[in-house]
mmCIF file of all heavy atoms in Angstrom:
data_model
loop_
_atom_site.group_PDB
_atom_site.id
_atom_site.type_symbol
_atom_site.label_atom_id
_atom_site.label_comp_id
_atom_site.label_asym_id
_atom_site.label_seq_id
_atom_site.Cartn_x
_atom_site.Cartn_y
_atom_site.Cartn_z
ATOM 1 N N ALA A 119 34.380 36.188 -96.770
ATOM 2 C CA ALA A 119 33.739 36.926 -95.672
ATOM 3 C C ALA A 119 33.533 36.028 -94.471
ATOM 4 O O ALA A 119 33.172 36.531 -93.402
ATOM 5 C CB ALA A 119 32.384 37.453 -96.136
ATOM 6 N N GLY A 120 33.700 34.687 -94.599
ATOM 7 C CA GLY A 120 33.531 33.796 -93.534
ATOM 8 C C GLY A 120 32.337 32.869 -93.628
ATOM 9 O O GLY A 120 32.098 32.021 -92.713
ATOM 10 N N PHE A 121 31.600 32.906 -94.741
ATOM 11 C CA PHE A 121 30.500 31.989 -94.935
ATOM 12 C C PHE A 121 30.972 30.560 -95.133
ATOM 13 O O PHE A 121 32.031 30.363 -95.710
ATOM 14 C CB PHE A 121 29.613 32.426 -96.084
ATOM 15 C CG PHE A 121 28.772 33.635 -95.832
ATOM 16 C CD1 PHE A 121 29.212 34.911 -96.201
ATOM 17 C CD2 PHE A 121 27.541 33.553 -95.199
ATOM 18 C CE1 PHE A 121 28.480 36.021 -95.978
ATOM 19 C CE2 PHE A 121 26.750 34.683 -94.970
ATOM 20 C CZ PHE A 121 27.255 35.911 -95.377
ATOM 21 N N VAL A 122 30.151 29.610 -94.706
ATOM 22 C CA VAL A 122 30.459 28.174 -94.886
ATOM 23 C C VAL A 122 29.307 27.571 -95.667
ATOM 24 O O VAL A 122 28.282 28.176 -95.890
ATOM 25 C CB VAL A 122 30.634 27.483 -93.529
ATOM 26 C CG1 VAL A 122 31.877 28.042 -92.790
ATOM 27 C CG2 VAL A 122 29.393 27.581 -92.660
ATOM 28 N N ASP A 123 29.538 26.313 -96.068
ATOM 29 C CA ASP A 123 28.551 25.592 -96.863
ATOM 30 C C ASP A 123 28.112 26.385 -98.084
ATOM 31 O O ASP A 123 26.951 26.381 -98.460
ATOM 32 C CB ASP A 123 27.272 25.228 -96.022
ATOM 33 C CG ASP A 123 27.604 24.453 -94.761
ATOM 34 O OD1 ASP A 123 28.599 23.608 -94.858
ATOM 35 O OD2 ASP A 123 26.953 24.583 -93.728
ATOM 36 N N VAL A 124 29.061 27.019 -98.733
ATOM 37 C CA VAL A 124 28.774 27.847 -99.895
ATOM 38 C C VAL A 124 28.589 26.912 -101.084
ATOM 39 O O VAL A 124 29.376 26.055 -101.355
ATOM 40 C CB VAL A 124 29.931 28.875 -100.136
ATOM 41 C CG1 VAL A 124 29.661 29.651 -101.406
ATOM 42 C CG2 VAL A 124 30.090 29.783 -98.953
ATOM 43 N N ALA A 125 27.503 27.133 -101.804
ATOM 44 C CA ALA A 125 27.168 26.308 -102.988
ATOM 45 C C ALA A 125 26.449 27.116 -104.012
ATOM 46 O O ALA A 125 25.746 28.114 -103.733
ATOM 47 C CB ALA A 125 26.339 25.109 -102.538
ATOM 48 N N VAL A 126 26.563 26.659 -105.264
ATOM 49 C CA VAL A 126 25.900 27.287 -106.425
ATOM 50 C C VAL A 126 24.648 26.455 -106.763
ATOM 51 O O VAL A 126 24.739 25.214 -106.818
ATOM 52 C CB VAL A 126 26.806 27.336 -107.665
ATOM 53 C CG1 VAL A 126 26.089 27.905 -108.858
ATOM 54 C CG2 VAL A 126 28.074 28.134 -107.355
ATOM 55 N N HIS A 127 23.542 27.139 -106.936
ATOM 56 C CA HIS A 127 22.271 26.440 -107.289
ATOM 57 C C HIS A 127 21.680 27.176 -108.512
ATOM 58 O O HIS A 127 21.703 28.414 -108.553
ATOM 59 C CB HIS A 127 21.271 26.567 -106.156
ATOM 60 C CG HIS A 127 21.821 26.187 -104.805
ATOM 61 N ND1 HIS A 127 21.846 24.848 -104.395
ATOM 62 C CD2 HIS A 127 22.353 26.871 -103.843
ATOM 63 C CE1 HIS A 127 22.355 24.810 -103.200
ATOM 64 N NE2 HIS A 127 22.711 26.007 -102.826
ATOM 65 N N PRO A 128 21.114 26.436 -109.463
ATOM 66 C CA PRO A 128 20.385 27.079 -110.517
ATOM 67 C C PRO A 128 19.190 27.834 -109.984
ATOM 68 O O PRO A 128 18.530 27.324 -109.096
ATOM 69 C CB PRO A 128 19.934 25.961 -111.452
ATOM 70 C CG PRO A 128 20.604 24.726 -110.982
ATOM 71 C CD PRO A 128 21.076 24.978 -109.601
ATOM 72 N N PHE A 129 18.915 29.019 -110.448
ATOM 73 C CA PHE A 129 17.734 29.813 -110.013
ATOM 74 C C PHE A 129 16.799 29.884 -111.185
ATOM 75 O O PHE A 129 15.655 29.492 -111.091
ATOM 76 C CB PHE A 129 18.166 31.182 -109.548
ATOM 77 C CG PHE A 129 17.095 31.916 -108.815
ATOM 78 C CD1 PHE A 129 16.662 31.537 -107.548
ATOM 79 C CD2 PHE A 129 16.459 33.036 -109.374
ATOM 80 C CE1 PHE A 129 15.656 32.212 -106.885
ATOM 81 C CE2 PHE A 129 15.454 33.707 -108.729
ATOM 82 C CZ PHE A 129 15.061 33.305 -107.484
ATOM 83 N N VAL A 130 17.263 30.413 -112.283
ATOM 84 C CA VAL A 130 16.554 30.355 -113.580
ATOM 85 C C VAL A 130 17.602 29.657 -114.507
ATOM 86 O O VAL A 130 18.526 30.326 -114.945
ATOM 87 C CB VAL A 130 16.133 31.727 -114.151
ATOM 88 C CG1 VAL A 130 15.517 31.600 -115.503
ATOM 89 C CG2 VAL A 130 15.190 32.427 -113.152
ATOM 90 N N PRO A 131 17.457 28.361 -114.759
ATOM 91 C CA PRO A 131 18.479 27.612 -115.495
ATOM 92 C C PRO A 131 18.893 28.316 -116.769
ATOM 93 O O PRO A 131 18.050 28.773 -117.573
ATOM 94 C CB PRO A 131 17.808 26.257 -115.750
ATOM 95 C CG PRO A 131 16.859 26.117 -114.589
ATOM 96 C CD PRO A 131 16.323 27.523 -114.373
ATOM 97 N N GLY A 132 20.198 28.437 -116.922
ATOM 98 C CA GLY A 132 20.748 29.059 -118.160
ATOM 99 C C GLY A 132 20.754 30.576 -118.098
ATOM 100 O O GLY A 132 21.286 31.226 -119.015
ATOM 101 N N VAL A 133 20.217 31.136 -117.022
ATOM 102 C CA VAL A 133 20.162 32.634 -116.947
ATOM 103 C C VAL A 133 20.710 33.123 -115.608
ATOM 104 O O VAL A 133 21.637 33.902 -115.541
ATOM 105 C CB VAL A 133 18.749 33.120 -117.126
ATOM 106 C CG1 VAL A 133 18.671 34.660 -117.049
ATOM 107 C CG2 VAL A 133 18.182 32.699 -118.483
ATOM 108 N N LEU A 134 20.130 32.672 -114.479
ATOM 109 C CA LEU A 134 20.501 33.143 -113.157
ATOM 110 C C LEU A 134 20.913 31.946 -112.260
ATOM 111 O O LEU A 134 20.300 30.914 -112.295
ATOM 112 C CB LEU A 134 19.290 33.795 -112.501
ATOM 113 C CG LEU A 134 18.712 35.057 -113.122
ATOM 114 C CD1 LEU A 134 17.450 35.528 -112.435
ATOM 115 C CD2 LEU A 134 19.722 36.194 -113.120
ATOM 116 N N SER A 135 21.945 32.258 -111.456
ATOM 117 C CA SER A 135 22.389 31.271 -110.466
ATOM 118 C C SER A 135 22.123 31.917 -109.080
ATOM 119 O O SER A 135 22.073 33.125 -108.931
ATOM 120 C CB SER A 135 23.890 31.044 -110.565
ATOM 121 O OG SER A 135 24.183 30.374 -111.773
ATOM 122 N N ARG A 136 21.993 31.042 -108.101
ATOM 123 C CA ARG A 136 21.855 31.463 -106.724
ATOM 124 C C ARG A 136 23.049 30.875 -105.965
ATOM 125 O O ARG A 136 23.228 29.634 -105.888
ATOM 126 C CB ARG A 136 20.566 30.978 -106.085
ATOM 127 C CG ARG A 136 20.395 31.358 -104.605
ATOM 128 C CD ARG A 136 19.081 30.884 -104.028
ATOM 129 N NE ARG A 136 18.836 29.453 -104.173
ATOM 130 C CZ ARG A 136 19.183 28.560 -103.253
ATOM 131 N NH1 ARG A 136 19.834 28.984 -102.124
ATOM 132 N NH2 ARG A 136 18.947 27.273 -103.431
ATOM 133 N N VAL A 137 23.874 31.750 -105.433
ATOM 134 C CA VAL A 137 25.026 31.270 -104.668
ATOM 135 C C VAL A 137 24.728 31.601 -103.199
ATOM 136 O O VAL A 137 24.448 32.732 -102.865
ATOM 137 C CB VAL A 137 26.339 31.961 -105.166
ATOM 138 C CG1 VAL A 137 27.546 31.437 -104.363
ATOM 139 C CG2 VAL A 137 26.566 31.819 -106.626
ATOM 140 N N ALA A 138 24.718 30.587 -102.432
ATOM 141 C CA ALA A 138 24.295 30.746 -100.994
ATOM 142 C C ALA A 138 25.339 30.238 -100.056
ATOM 143 O O ALA A 138 26.113 29.342 -100.344
ATOM 144 C CB ALA A 138 22.984 29.952 -100.790
ATOM 145 N N GLY A 139 25.375 30.889 -98.907
ATOM 146 C CA GLY A 139 26.239 30.478 -97.844
ATOM 147 C C GLY A 139 25.640 30.750 -96.484
ATOM 148 O O GLY A 139 24.677 31.540 -96.366
ATOM 149 N N ARG A 140 26.182 30.132 -95.453
ATOM 150 C CA ARG A 140 25.656 30.216 -94.108
ATOM 151 C C ARG A 140 26.736 30.764 -93.160
ATOM 152 O O ARG A 140 27.882 30.401 -93.223
ATOM 153 C CB ARG A 140 25.227 28.837 -93.615
ATOM 154 C CG ARG A 140 24.562 28.799 -92.243
ATOM 155 C CD ARG A 140 24.200 27.372 -91.808
ATOM 156 N NE ARG A 140 25.308 26.423 -91.914
ATOM 157 C CZ ARG A 140 26.268 26.332 -91.008
ATOM 158 N NH1 ARG A 140 26.308 27.067 -89.962
ATOM 159 N NH2 ARG A 140 27.238 25.406 -91.147
ATOM 160 N N LYS A 141 26.309 31.694 -92.276
ATOM 161 C CA LYS A 141 27.187 32.207 -91.226
ATOM 162 C C LYS A 141 27.351 31.117 -90.143
ATOM 163 O O LYS A 141 26.336 30.623 -89.662
ATOM 164 C CB LYS A 141 26.624 33.501 -90.642
ATOM 165 C CG LYS A 141 27.541 34.136 -89.605
ATOM 166 C CD LYS A 141 26.998 35.445 -89.130
ATOM 167 C CE LYS A 141 27.864 36.109 -88.102
ATOM 168 N NZ LYS A 141 27.424 37.496 -87.792
ATOM 169 N N PRO A 142 28.591 30.775 -89.795
ATOM 170 C CA PRO A 142 28.744 29.717 -88.791
ATOM 171 C C PRO A 142 28.086 30.116 -87.488
ATOM 172 O O PRO A 142 27.953 31.266 -87.135
ATOM 173 C CB PRO A 142 30.256 29.620 -88.598
ATOM 174 C CG PRO A 142 30.843 30.260 -89.824
ATOM 175 C CD PRO A 142 29.849 31.294 -90.276
#
């Protein structure tokens, strides 16, 4: 979609992840 700096972060370890990105 055009997001940059996309990274995966644990949110609830072993259950939920948070994948975040920034619009340039």
Side-chain angles (χ1 to χ4, degrees):
F121 287 95
V122 296
D123 303 327
V124 177
V126 177
H127 310 274
F129 192 72
V130 176
V133 180
L134 297 173
S135 295
R136 178 178 58 89
V137 184
R140 183 181 54 78
K141 182 174 180 174

